[in-house]
Amino acid sequence: MRFDILTVLPGLLESPFAHSILQRAQKKGIAEIHVHNLRNYTTHKHKSVDDYPYGGGSGMVMMIEPFATCIEQLKSERTYDEVIFMTPDGITLNQSIANELSVKQNIIILCGHYKGIDQRIRDLYVTRELSIGDYVLSGGELPAAIVVDAVVRLIPGVLSDETSALSDSFQGDLLDAPVYTRPANWNGHEVPPILLSGNTPEIEKWRFDQSVERTKARRPDLLQ
Ligand code: ADE
């Protein structure tokens, strides 16, 4: 699976992809992540990528040319399944969208900044607009990294134990049960004895009950 991320701040995306599972997925050749600096796709003097909004108002708007030139170049090299724009007014990312994206081959992600991007980019190129939640960040880079992380870990072969993605919170509409590790007693705070019993069916039942309880208490909407 290949991601091409278009941004004015490529440096913001260096670290998230250089560690842990995302790094391993790239080393294994399962995921390719390419970050493109939009400043390399402008013919504007001073390499500017934004301009004042038509009609006035505060804030700058990202221009169409750098996005269009970069997208057209990428599209001339391969076919893309999706062009995603990260924006707080998009559809909120959830596990089912991540599952859907994890079976695609090539995805472009556009990161906006300032007041937004020229609407014509959205009209002409974007197939899906995603938000990561009802709050406004300074740009689309961190949201893009979140989408890539949520999707790549679902690709078979990325996690060492493939079943662990399937048992994640949200995969079955239930939150995860609590987990514990050694020591069994920390200053008098003990691990639930059932987990030390070796009785696998009873442990599974306990975990399921805990998941249901936690979901009822924290996210009753998931049980509907
Ligand atoms: N860009 C700025 N805020 C965002 C958000 N909440 N989700 C996606 N992209 C964004």
Side-chain angles (χ1 to χ4, degrees):
M1 181 173 199
R2 175 180 171 125
F3 287 93
D4 290 275
I5 306 178
L6 281 52
T7 170
V8 283
L9 291 174
L12 261 182
L13 289 167
E14 276 164 20
S15 177
F17 304 141
H19 303 276
S20 184
I21 287 165
L22 290 180
Q23 184 194 47
R24 198 167 352 117
Q26 292 173 88
K27 281 194 176 154
K28 283 186 180 172
I30 299 173
E32 271 182 55
I33 305 167
H34 300 267
V35 178
H36 306 272
N37 187 344
L38 286 166
R39 287 191 201 280
N40 298 334
Y41 295 87
T42 172
T43 51
H44 223 262
K45 54 179 189 235
H46 313 308
K47 293 202 166 207
S48 46
V49 290
D50 59 328
D51 209 336
Y52 294 99
Y54 276 124
S58 63
M60 302 292 272
V61 175
M62 291 180 76
M63 294 186 293
I64 190 165
E65 187 207 15
F67 280 110
T69 308
C70 186
I71 294 169
E72 293 292 352
Q73 187 180 312
L74 289 168
K75 283 189 166 179
S76 72
E77 291 161 6
R78 69 195 62 75
T79 305
Y80 283 89
D81 304 294
E82 296 270 358
V83 178
I84 299 173
F85 174 47
M86 301 310 306
T87 173
D89 59 9
I91 290 179
T92 309
L93 178 69
N94 60 26
Q95 194 62 46
S96 108
I97 295 173
N99 290 343
E100 212 183 302
L101 294 176
S102 72
V103 296
K104 310 272 182 185
Q105 283 305 306
N106 300 309
I107 295 180
I108 292 175
I109 304 184
L110 312 180
C111 305
H113 259 269
Y114 319 116
K115 189 149 184 62
I117 67 176
D118 190 307
Q119 180 60 35
R120 291 167 292 183
I121 304 162
R122 298 166 81 159
D123 296 342
L124 291 171
Y125 295 110
V126 171
T127 60
R128 198 189 276 258
E129 303 198 333
L130 288 181
S131 162
I132 59 157
D134 288 344
Y135 40 84
V136 179
L137 301 170
S138 322
E141 287 75 13
L142 300 179
I146 284 168
V147 170
V148 173
D149 188 305
V151 170
V152 167
R153 63 196 303 287
L154 298 173
I155 306 172
V158 169
L159 298 186
S160 41
D161 175 5
E162 266 181 46
T163 58
S164 69
L166 292 176
S167 69
D168 281 346
S169 283
F170 299 111
Q171 278 296 11
D173 290 337
L174 284 181
L175 302 182
D176 273 354
V179 294
Y180 299 86
T181 188
R182 286 185 286 188
N185 185 327
W186 173 252
N187 296 341
H189 300 280
E190 291 185 355
V191 169
I194 180 73
L195 296 177
L196 312 177
S197 69
N199 185 338
T200 311
E202 283 301 312
I203 292 173
E204 289 303 316
K205 183 179 175 307
W206 179 86
R207 288 195 169 133
F208 178 75
D209 292 344
Q210 290 286 318
S211 282
V212 173
E213 283 313 306
R214 199 173 253 201
T215 310
K216 263 191 212 159
R218 298 181 184 194
R219 292 294 306 275
D221 56 299
L222 294 176
L223 294 170
Q224 252 104 72

